[in-house]
Each structure stands twice: as C-alpha cells, then as structure tokens.
Amino acid sequence: MVSPYRTMTITKVILEDYRSHRHTELALGPLTVLVGPNGCGKTSVLEAINGLCALPGVRSQAAFGHADPPPAIDDVNVRAGASSWSIAIEGLGKAGAWQLKFGGEPRGEHRGRYASWRLGEREGRGNGSNNPTLPVRALWKTLPLDGALPTSQLLRLSRENLTRPSTLEVSERLPELAPDGSGLPAVFGWMKLARDRQYRSVVEMVRRVVPRVRGVSVREKTFTEERLYWHGPEDAPSPEPRRVTLNGFEVVFEMADGAVVPARAASEGTLVTLGLAVALNVDPLPSMVLIDDVERSLHPRGQRELMGAIRELQTARPEVQIAVTTHSPFVVDEVEASSVVVMAQREDGSTAGHRLPEHPKASRLLQQLTNGEFLGVIGEDWVAQEPVRG
C-alpha cells in the first residue's frame, strides 16, 4: 500500500552554525543551481540535504551516540566558535507542511544530539536514549513520516571508481550505482540486458553531451578485487581481507573514428557523463538528486547539453527535484535565473546566499545579459554584504 503522505517535496533547507554557515536559509525549487567560489559552502548544502534524507535509516546509536556518526550529522560540523549546530529540511506534502531537523550541542551545558520533526499540527523530538539499537525512524512510529520523506542521492563521481570493473551477482537487490561511481559496469550491463529503454536513454544522453561517442557497451573482464571473509566462529572479531579473481564487465566506448576505447582509457568528462546518465535513468529515481560539480571536465558545449538533458528530465519527471553545484557560467546560462543561488563568504568567513534575481539591478540587466554574463560583471560581492539573518 502506498503511503498517502508519499508525495513530499523539499521547499527549504536551513543550516545553523553548520560548517561555514552561521544562518543560511535557501528555498529549493524543482531545479536549483548553487554557484560561487571554492569553499563558500555549496557542497555543505548538498551534504546536509542528503544527510537528513538518509536520517530515518541511521541507527540511533550512531546518530545520537559517539560511535562513528554519518559525516553529515557529526558534531565536527559545528561552526568555529559556536556551541551548537543544526540542519533542517522543510517541505509540503498531502498532509501539509513538514520539517525534519537534526542538531547537536557538543560544547554546551546540555551536550548531545537530537532529531525533531513536524507534520501538520503534530510534532515530536527525540535523542534515541530509549532505543539505541533501532533506526531513527523508530522515534516517530506514531507519526506518518516513515516512508514518506524524500529519498536522495548525492553524486560525487570518481574517475577511478567509474573505470573499475564490476560483477553482476545473484542478489535480492538489483545492482546499484554508488555515489562515487562504483558499480557502473554492473548497473549499465543490467540495463543493456533487461532495461532496453533505460539503456537507450543513457546512450542517447552520452552521445548528446560527448558527440565523439557513437555507442557505449560492456564486455567481459576478468579482474582481481579485495573482499572480506569471516573465518572461525560466528562471533569472530573482524573479517579477513582476501584478493580474489572475478569474472565481470568493463565499459567500452565506440568512438566516431571507429576506435573501441575501454573505460580506463576514456576521458574523465566522458566517464562522468556516462555515470550521470546512468544515475539519472535508474528506476525508481530518488526524489532528490544532488550533483556536486556538475560540469566537471566537460567542454562548454557539453556542459550546455548536459544541463539541457537534466532540465528535460526534471520536466518529464516533476516529482524528482535536482540540485547541483557549479563554477561554470555555461551551466547557469541553461537554467532560469530564479533557479540560480549565488553563494559567497562574508568577511567573518560565514556563508551568505541569494537567488540571482534578488540583486537590485537584476530585473534590468538580465534583459540584456545572460545569467553567466551577469555573474561575470557583478560577481558575488553583493551576496557577501548581506547581513546575517536569524
């Protein structure tokens, strides 16, 4: 049975004393592009959203205790000089407005971490003290948030992982593409074998973004990989690493000049494009797709084509929200100005953010300049002059 609360979108993310963010509130639309200098806090926004979407499945002991919490909800994220921190996402669903918040006080009088939630008129708060071995979702068992919150994937594709062969193994679950690109040959190979529509969509997207590519496929590949095995009693303290030889697949590209290029010899831009194309064509898609450095290693034409494909996907799948970070004027040129959030650092090192049309001259200048040209002329200093809210 599908939950009546399942259709939930994220409308806002709020970061309080989180890394470089003293107080940041950003509205999120169907497609959001975060642009700004290195170190201004763009990636922190994506990580906070992804961490909160994953929070329901995190063990309470990890979330609220001291045993290796997920990086996005670790107390090390508290801003220098602050005694507490919090991150929150807000949105709308069939049951009304909702919020999920997580925070901690590592240096204050009431040390510890907590989760709070609100759905319509109902709300609650917990710190996992009564259920340390249960997932965080157990804290709201009387609240219909479980299974209704948006799912997310944060993509930071690594060339090394995208080139690594992988296997199609017997499992209860279909092969999955990891956020770093691991497992690409297995997922793409599965599409080729059993998901023809998805396979063709992936190849079409790669050819659109990288015109020199005429086709993409997989071929057999024998490779070695380190895997962990348990030996001895069932309560053995740790597994033993072992190098094993596996029969799997590697990706190959068919180029316009007739050459067949294995993934390990392909350009980073080509590999990242394939990884993104596969991630954006899996079924079901996460309800929030987060892409860090979306333009990485791509020619300006490829950047435009990639963003065109992402726009078309979001239009065809309006239930899926997409947020990306970029440094490229070509990327911001391919979206509406209202979708662009400009970020910068104030003199005290804290993060500020504004939507592009909020610049006082935007309504006039954006009639004459593209988004990228406007940013090239104006820069980000106007954002950094914003006073701290909250």
Side-chain angles (χ1 to χ4, degrees), residues 370-381:
T370 67
N371 296 338
E373 290 170 341
F374 180 84
L375 283 171
V377 172
I378 301 299
E380 299 96 8
D381 289 346

Side-chain angles (χ1 to χ4, degrees), residues 5 7 10 25 28 40 45 76 97 109 130 143 193 211 222 224-225 248 252 297 350 353 356 374 386:
Y5 306 97
T7 307
I10 302 175
E25 294 188 28
L28 299 176
C40 71
V45 174
V76 298
E109 179 181 351
N130 296 327
L143 192 68
L193 288 169
T222 299
T224 59
E225 184 175 274
V252 292
S297 301
S350 63
L356 189 57
F374 180 84
E386 170 204 41

Side-chain angles (χ1 to χ4, degrees), residues 12-17 21-27 79 341-343 346 348 350-355 358 383 385-390:
K12 183 187 290 187
V13 57
I14 305 169
L15 284 67
E16 297 271 3
D17 288 322
H21 296 264
R22 181 184 294 180
H23 180 92
T24 299
E25 294 188 28
L26 296 179
R79 192 175 63 86
V341 177
V342 185
M343 302 182 70
R346 304 182 183 90
D348 66 356
S350 63
T351 295
H354 268 304
R355 289 197 173 269
E358 292 175 359
V383 177
Q385 295 167 7
E386 170 204 41
V388 179
R389 291 175 289 175

Side-chain angles (χ1 to χ4, degrees), residues 82-376:
S83 60
S84 63
W85 64 275
S86 68
I87 52 178
I89 48 176
E90 297 182 353
L92 295 173
K94 291 183 178 179
W98 61 269
Q99 182 193 73
L100 177 61
K101 183 177 183 178
F102 191 91
E105 189 174 343
R107 294 193 285 267
E109 179 181 351
H110 307 289
R111 295 186 181 183
R113 294 190 289 272
Y114 66 92
S116 65
W117 57 92
R118 184 180 70 244
L119 178 61
E121 299 298 320
R122 289 167 286 181
E123 59 183 21
R125 179 181 171 118
N127 60 13
S129 58
N130 296 327
N131 300 297
T133 62
L134 295 179
V136 174
R137 61 168 55 97
L139 298 176
W140 58 64
K141 58 186 177 182
T142 59
L143 192 68
L145 274 177
D146 189 19
L149 285 169
T151 57
S152 71
Q153 183 176 39
L154 172 54
L155 295 169
R156 284 196 192 118
L157 301 176
S158 154
R159 187 184 194 283
E160 178 184 0
N161 293 320
L162 289 166
T163 60
R164 184 176 297 146
S166 55
T167 61
L168 274 174
E169 301 182 19
V170 176
S171 172
E172 293 179 356
R173 303 177 62 178
L174 294 177
E176 294 181 349
L177 182 71
D180 63 5
S182 300
L184 175 64
V187 179
F188 185 59
W190 175 255
M191 287 180 172
K192 184 170 172 41
L193 288 169
R195 298 287 188 271
D196 185 64
R197 181 188 61 79
Q198 293 170 319
Y199 168 74
R200 286 186 283 106
S201 294
V202 169
V203 175
E204 180 182 344
M205 183 172 171
V206 174
R207 292 179 60 181
R208 172 178 175 176
V209 177
V210 188
R212 287 193 64 245
V213 174
R214 285 293 175 262
V216 194
S217 189
V218 292
R219 68 184 181 191
E220 290 180 288
K221 177 70 175 179
T222 299
F223 62 102
T224 59
E225 184 175 274
E226 186 174 279
R227 295 203 170 185
L228 299 177
Y229 292 88
W230 271 263
H231 291 282
E234 293 183 359
D235 59 350
S238 61
E240 173 188 318
R242 200 194 286 176
R243 300 291 298 183
V244 294
T245 299
L246 301 170
N247 295 309
F249 299 97
E250 69 172 350
V251 169
V252 292
F253 296 92
E254 302 153 21
M255 310 306 288
D257 60 3
V260 176
V261 179
R264 61 185 181 277
S267 71
E268 183 177 35
T270 301
L271 287 165
V272 169
T273 299
L274 175 61
L276 291 177
V278 168
L280 293 171
N281 280 280
V282 298
D283 190 20
L285 267 173
S287 46
M288 171 64 83
V289 179
L290 308 158
I291 307 173
D292 205 16
D293 288 333
V294 67
E295 80 283 2
R296 184 156 56 94
S297 301
L298 280 178
H299 183 274
R301 174 183 169 181
Q303 296 176 29
R304 295 189 181 101
E305 292 294 343
L306 175 61
M307 289 308 298
I310 288 175
R311 272 200 338 268
E312 291 167 14
L313 169 69
Q314 205 287 313
T315 301
R317 301 283 300 275
E319 75 279 10
V320 177
Q321 291 180 268
I322 300 174
V324 307
T325 67
T326 187
H327 298 99
S328 171
F330 305 106
V331 168
V332 298
D333 277 348
E334 294 303 311
V335 298
E336 298 292 333
S338 58
S339 299
V340 179
V341 177
V342 185
M343 302 182 70
Q345 283 187 304
R346 304 182 183 90
E347 288 187 4
D348 66 356
S350 63
T351 295
H354 268 304
R355 289 197 173 269
L356 189 57
E358 292 175 359
H359 187 282
K361 297 181 180 179
S363 59
R364 176 171 59 86
L365 292 180
L366 287 175
Q367 295 179 17
Q368 308 164 35
L369 303 174
T370 67
N371 296 338
E373 290 170 341
F374 180 84
L375 283 171

